[in-house]
Amino acid sequence: ALAWARASAKCLNFNSMLILLPVCRNLLSFLRGTCSCCRRTLRKQLDHNLAFHKLVAYALALFTAVHTIAHLFNLERYNRSQQATDGSLAAVLSKMHLQSSDKWLNPIHSNQTTVEYVAFTTIPGLTGVIITLALILMVTSSTEFIRRNYFEVFWYTHHLFLVYFAGLVIHGIAGLVRGQTEESMEEVHPHRCAHYLVHKDEDCSHDCCKVPEFGSIPAESWKWVLAPVLLYIFERILRIWRAQQKVVVTKVVMHPARVLELQMQKKGFRMEVGQYIFVNCPAISLLEWHPFTLTSAPEEDYFSIHIRAAGDWTERLIDTFQQQKPEMPRIEVDGPFGTASEDVFQYEVAMLVGAGIGVTPFASILKSIWYKFQQADQTLKTKKIYFYWLCRDTGAFAWFNDLLASLEQKMAESGKADFLTYRLFLTGWDTSIANNVALHFDTATDTVTGLRHKTIFGRPMWNNEFVAVAAAHPRSVVGVFLCGPGALAKSLQKSCHQHSSLDPRKVQFYFNKENF
């Protein structure tokens, strides 16, 4: 069992080294920028940072369970060896502390010692209990249900990682697990000398009759986690410094369906399409930072976000800005950080899929396209964009109606009306809406959105959409970008695999998903 405990401890050290790297967002953004000339598949791995973070966390939970159970078996074995009177090797080694206080191998020196006593009165035991409880709280509060419905619980319990790393470094310092020293191993090797130790004569002169020396196994955890912890500390210092820079809210717009648009300016702020920022409002919470995708284009002199009421923090933020106080609430911004959507202009053909407020990264992309057409940008590699927007209610379409309408007009004026094909899907509707649409079916514009393209009732038939795109672009590389729920992601990823040709010279679909 000691071998299992030691092996799982090594694995815990290794995974503890990895756990912080995927959440060093500045590091990932830097790598994404430096890897811009690298292969697409290499850059795509950076988009799986949170999935990797979760896998490492699950590995930590597994190895913690193995480590704990193994040590419980060890303590039982130590107890039996301490109480044994049969003269066995384990019994002899357990009694060596009686000869000299520093010559002990079994950490239990009394027959009355219990597991609870070791767990709560020794440094390894107490720190082990603390970091195990911290890990349990972090893992359980990270479930989808908790994050979606009780984000504050997830946010605050996740900062127990400070307790976890402090306990991990201290855990092995006391040297409770001991082993034979290297010098003693050369003189009194266990394979060669175990028999002499059990059946030792008083006048024994053999080398094996010497009393073996034992020493604490040095703590190693700090060596594994020192570099990533220092890197993460530097990351947090950088983020705190950037967050302190003044942000000016230049415009506040309240959209239908409780969606707040904030337009802001910040000195030295530079962004790319599809990036996101972390936002904090000290008037609501000093510690909570929430991610929001930027909906402005890099060509604009401001940056903007759209915030949908989806929890306590967002509800309070919207209420705070709706109160119209003389002084605007202070906003702190950290970022921007890179995402998969940055690569949209690296593809000849792009399929953009947004569900509800998940349309935000594509608003930034579509705005940027509008400016590129304004400036007659000849470097634009993308030749065709398919845009799909799925909404549950009609009010949501009002968020970016003006943007889509201006895009329609601009592309028609520039003779590139075929550049953008968009489809709007209303997934939640009743008979009154359907009847109204039926009555005005022959009108030039859609009754729901006022745009030229008619709103489609129901969900997309993705198989038909992919077949149509593959037929229209038989030799192209198509980037599929999603900002939406996991179920839709699985469906799109499956369609990408099904409709990609085995011949690399023909149509290939690459799936990209937004991760925060």
Side-chain angles (χ1 to χ4, degrees), residues 376-396:
D377 189 347
Q378 302 297 320
T379 62
L380 186 61
K381 181 180 177 180
T382 307
K383 306 301 180 186
K384 178 71 176 181
I385 285 182
Y386 296 88
F387 175 51
Y388 306 86
W389 188 6
L390 290 67
C391 287
R392 290 180 182 176
D393 54 82
T394 55

Side-chain angles (χ1 to χ4, degrees), residues 236-287:
R236 292 307 293 249
I237 292 172
L238 177 61
R239 292 176 66 174
I240 291 169
W241 174 76
R242 288 199 309 194
Q244 297 305 311
Q245 296 175 352
K246 186 179 180 181
V247 175
V248 179
V249 179
T250 57
K251 189 176 181 180
V252 179
V253 182
M254 195 65 207
H255 293 285
R258 293 274 288 170
V259 171
L260 176 73
E261 179 185 355
L262 295 180
Q263 295 183 8
M264 298 167 281
Q265 290 180 330
K266 181 180 177 181
K267 186 178 179 180
F269 188 91
R270 291 182 178 85
M271 61 164 288
E272 297 293 336
V273 293
Q275 291 187 326
Y276 68 97
I277 59 175
F278 275 88
V279 175
N280 170 258
C281 182
I284 298 173
S285 173
L286 291 172
L287 299 177

Side-chain angles (χ1 to χ4, degrees), residues 314-486:
T314 50
E315 289 278 4
R316 289 164 62 190
L317 182 71
I318 292 171
D319 291 339
T320 301
F321 276 95
Q322 279 187 314
Q323 288 171 6
Q324 296 181 343
K325 293 181 179 179
E327 189 176 347
M328 199 82 73
R330 186 164 66 93
I331 292 292
E332 295 180 352
V333 169
D334 180 29
F337 302 106
T339 66
S341 296
E342 281 187 59
D343 295 337
V344 67
F345 295 134
Q346 301 296 320
Y347 293 90
E348 299 171 11
V349 181
M351 295 174 68
L352 314 180
V353 184
I357 199 66
V359 71
T360 48
F362 309 128
S364 173
I365 292 167
L366 295 175
K367 281 184 181 179
S368 184
I369 290 170
W370 190 88
Y371 281 104
K372 290 181 187 298
F373 277 114
Q374 283 275 84
Q375 300 163 4
D377 189 347
Q378 302 297 320
T379 62
L380 186 61
K381 181 180 177 180
T382 307
K383 306 301 180 186
K384 178 71 176 181
I385 285 182
Y386 296 88
F387 175 51
Y388 306 86
W389 188 6
L390 290 67
C391 287
R392 290 180 182 176
D393 54 82
T394 55
F397 290 123
W399 301 339
F400 299 107
N401 261 12
D402 294 341
L403 172 61
L404 290 172
S406 61
L407 271 171
E408 279 185 334
Q409 181 182 354
K410 189 63 191 175
M411 290 176 189
E413 291 173 356
S414 59
K416 293 185 178 181
D418 294 334
F419 179 85
L420 174 67
T421 297
Y422 65 88
R423 298 179 186 275
L424 308 181
F425 295 86
L426 186 61
T427 58
W429 48 278
D430 53 30
T431 52
S432 62
I433 297 174
N435 290 335
N436 185 44
V437 170
L439 287 172
H440 301 87
F441 183 76
D442 294 329
T443 56
T445 57
D446 183 55
T447 56
V448 176
T449 63
L451 299 169
R452 296 175 188 174
H453 284 63
K454 301 289 185 179
T455 300
I456 302 169
F457 290 81
R459 299 182 182 278
M461 301 290 288
W462 291 117
N463 187 58
N464 295 341
E465 299 294 338
F466 275 82
V467 167
V469 173
H473 310 278
R475 297 184 181 277
S476 296
V477 176
V478 182
V480 180
F481 295 85
L482 168 69
C483 187

